[in-house]
Amino acid sequence: MHKSNATLIGFSAVALWGALALLTRLTDNQIPPFQLMSMTFVIAFFLMLTKWRKEGHWGIRYAKQRKRVWLLGVSGYFGYHFCYFLAMSKAPAVQVSLLAYLWPLLIVLFSTLLPGHKFRWAHLIGALSALAGCWILIGGGSDAFEPQYTTGYFIALACALIWSTFSVTSRLAANVPTDAAGWFCGATAVLAFVCHLAWETTVMPANMIQWIGVIGLGLGPVGIAFFTWDYGVKHGNIQLLGVLAYSAPLISVVLLVLFGLAEPSWTLAWASLAIVGGSLIAGIERNKKAAQ
């Protein structure tokens, strides 16, 4: 498949992550985080299992990966979410989100260390512009960072480091088929369930709307998104994907506005300009090469 098509597939994950806030709203935020994580990753696993059964097998061959591949996959999926929930319990949500969402910028920087990849000013400038828009969007009008939440801030930074490292390192495992991610999702569901039993009280969805939210999360932002992101970072333009990832919070807010769950504002307009502008800047060099 052409590199640009793989990049487009990877971007579909970003678009699906943009629906995360809307679908989470449907759950009424009543379901404990590790329980919700376990439920949604189980759905993601069964989504891939359905694909395997249609192909006439159980996907066992995709589970036969080297230990380091399993470590990479599970640490990426489970490690990121574990640190994110832990950071949320130790620091304000807005600041945690701002710090955790440094991962697209880190992808742009770390990807320059990959074989055949070079540092591109267009990607860095585009990423910084998109980052500024993301911070305006998420942190507009919020309180400043406060010293008493330092532990939570460092854990949030660990989130950014884990996901960016996972995404870039996945490029070195491009020979590992995306189907293997189905097993990583299954393992993540089990680990999340263990955490749920240890620290949370079970709260099942109370109505059909909440079930729609849970199933929607499992099929989209957790299921299809992780599979398409895996394919995109392995075979597409990973630096451009890093910049485009900043459009997820923009998509999220736009969806909330369209569904009447948020109000349009100048903050949204300025953030949109910065994020879209950054993405265009990052795409300039790629477009020039395509035209040659």
Side-chain angles (χ1 to χ4, degrees):
M1 182 177 289
H2 195 277
K3 188 174 182 179
S4 60
N5 292 333
T7 304
L8 184 61
I9 290 174
F11 177 69
S12 71
V14 178
L16 287 170
W17 288 334
L20 188 64
L22 178 62
L23 292 171
T24 302
R25 286 283 190 94
L26 294 182
T27 69
D28 251 353
N29 295 313
Q30 299 296 314
I31 303 173
F34 283 110
Q35 178 189 337
L36 183 60
M37 180 179 169
S38 181
M39 294 172 73
T40 53
F41 272 94
V42 161
I43 293 172
F45 172 75
F46 277 100
L47 184 65
M48 185 61 78
L49 181 62
T50 300
K51 174 181 180 292
W52 296 333
R53 292 308 301 146
K54 285 185 176 181
E55 295 172 352
H57 60 90
W58 291 93
I60 302 300
R61 62 177 176 266
Y62 297 117
K64 298 177 180 179
Q65 303 295 334
R66 296 181 179 181
K67 290 181 180 179
R68 63 171 178 265
V69 174
W70 269 94
L71 180 62
L72 174 65
V74 177
S75 64
Y77 294 162
F78 177 76
Y80 172 83
H81 290 88
F82 179 85
C83 288
Y84 185 78
F85 294 146
L86 186 60
M88 283 290 193
S89 70
K90 295 182 177 296
V94 170
Q95 283 77 9
V96 167
S97 297
L98 291 174
L99 293 172
Y101 226 79
L102 287 171
W103 64 261
L105 176 61
L106 294 179
I107 285 178
V108 173
L109 296 176
F110 292 166
S111 62
T112 61
L113 302 176
L114 290 170
H117 289 70
K118 297 179 181 180
F119 176 82
R120 308 290 186 188
W121 279 106
H123 287 130
L124 179 59
I125 295 172
L128 290 174
S129 174
L131 173 63
C134 180
W135 279 47
I136 291 171
L137 191 62
I138 299 175
S142 67
D143 295 331
F145 290 86
E146 301 178 21
Q148 65 265 36
Y149 300 121
T150 299
T151 299
Y153 297 154
F154 275 110
I155 298 174
L157 287 172
C159 292
L161 186 61
I162 288 171
W163 191 252
S164 58
T165 301
F166 162 74
S167 298
V168 173
T169 307
S170 292
R171 185 77 168 204
L172 300 176
N175 61 318
V176 177
T178 293
D179 288 61
W183 289 106
F184 305 151
C185 286
T188 298
V190 172
L191 291 173
F193 185 65
V194 171
C195 291
H196 166 64
L197 293 179
W199 298 317
E200 298 174 340
T201 300
T202 301
V203 178
M204 296 305 292
N207 52 55
M208 184 58 67
I209 297 297
Q210 291 185 8
W211 274 112
I212 291 174
V214 172
I215 295 173
L217 286 168
L219 293 177
V222 174
I224 295 173
F226 282 133
F227 302 145
T228 56
W229 181 255
D230 179 87
Y231 190 87
V233 296
K234 286 179 179 177
H235 305 288
N237 186 327
I238 189 171
Q239 292 176 317
L240 183 58
L241 280 174
V243 179
L244 293 175
Y246 277 118
S247 62
L250 174 60
I251 295 171
S252 177
V253 173
V254 170
L255 285 175
L256 290 174
V257 170
L258 291 176
F259 280 85
L261 298 175
E263 295 294 331
S265 66
W266 281 108
T267 298
L268 175 59
W270 285 114
S272 302
L273 182 63
I275 293 171
V276 174
S279 300
L280 290 174
I281 292 172
I284 287 176
E285 187 170 359
R286 184 177 68 90
N287 292 333
K288 284 183 177 179
K289 288 184 177 180
Q292 291 175 351

